[in-house]
Amino acid sequence: MQALTAEEYARLDQLAEAWRRCHLKDAKTASHFNPRLGVDALCFQPHVLADGSRGLLGALVTPLSLSLVLVLDSPAASTPEPRQRLLTLPSGRYVVVREPLGETDGLWRCELLDDLSDVGSLEEGSRLAQQLMERVMTPAVSDA
């Protein structure tokens, strides 16, 4: 796995902060809100899409959910972006939906666990994100 640059880590931190700014107030009203969790962008690695665009692929842990997330290096400025994209990973295909985070930034997200209320700590959330990334980056076993 390729190490991220300081700039890439800073961008992921900015996106986590943008999620907090855009969604945390409403998240606190959800019945499954987990106050033991923060918003963390974890286990990211460089990823190249089928169309040649590049980005970072990883997990986003929030007090509500665990999601597979794609952050593009440079969003298409000249053409409107689609609302969703299909990611083909070793474990299968995932539909990621565009989630704007303010006026100029955003990410592509596929929510995989929609209730983390039973996760007991930040460390457990981090382990869950690691397990998620291991599973989505491991080829699916076919029934032969």
Side-chain angles (χ1 to χ4, degrees):
M1 189 182 335
Q2 184 180 351
L4 300 184
T5 66
E7 293 82 18
E8 289 168 327
Y9 279 117
R11 179 149 187 240
L12 294 172
D13 286 343
Q14 289 171 347
L15 286 171
E17 179 55 37
W19 191 97
R20 281 191 281 288
R21 236 183 1 264
C22 291
H23 300 292
L24 190 57
K25 183 178 178 182
D26 288 338
K28 288 181 178 182
T29 66
S31 62
H32 61 282
F33 178 81
N34 185 340
R36 295 176 299 276
L37 295 178
V39 179
D40 291 309
L42 301 167
C43 307
F44 277 78
Q45 58 192 18
H47 184 75
V48 180
L49 280 74
D51 66 4
S53 26
R54 296 178 176 276
L56 300 172
L57 182 68
L60 180 69
V61 176
T62 74
L64 299 178
S65 65
L66 175 64
S67 299
L68 178 65
V69 169
L70 173 68
V71 178
L72 293 176
D73 285 351
S74 55
S78 59
T79 59
E81 291 194 69
R83 172 146 164 66
Q84 58 187 19
R85 291 176 174 261
L86 183 64
L87 284 181
T88 301
L89 301 175
S91 63
R93 294 180 178 186
Y94 299 84
V95 175
V96 290
V97 177
R98 175 91 173 124
E99 183 170 320
L101 296 172
E103 291 184 28
T104 60
D105 220 340
L107 48 81
W108 297 85
R109 186 170 73 95
C110 176
E111 187 174 76
L112 297 177
L113 292 174
D114 64 357
D115 184 350
L116 300 182
S117 59
D118 61 344
V119 176
S121 67
L122 293 170
E123 293 78 18
E124 278 185 43
S126 179
R127 282 192 297 275
L128 201 55
Q130 290 170 341
Q131 291 169 357
L132 162 75
M133 291 310 295
E134 286 173 15
R135 287 188 179 158
V136 300
M137 298 311 281
T138 300
V141 179
S142 62
D143 297 330

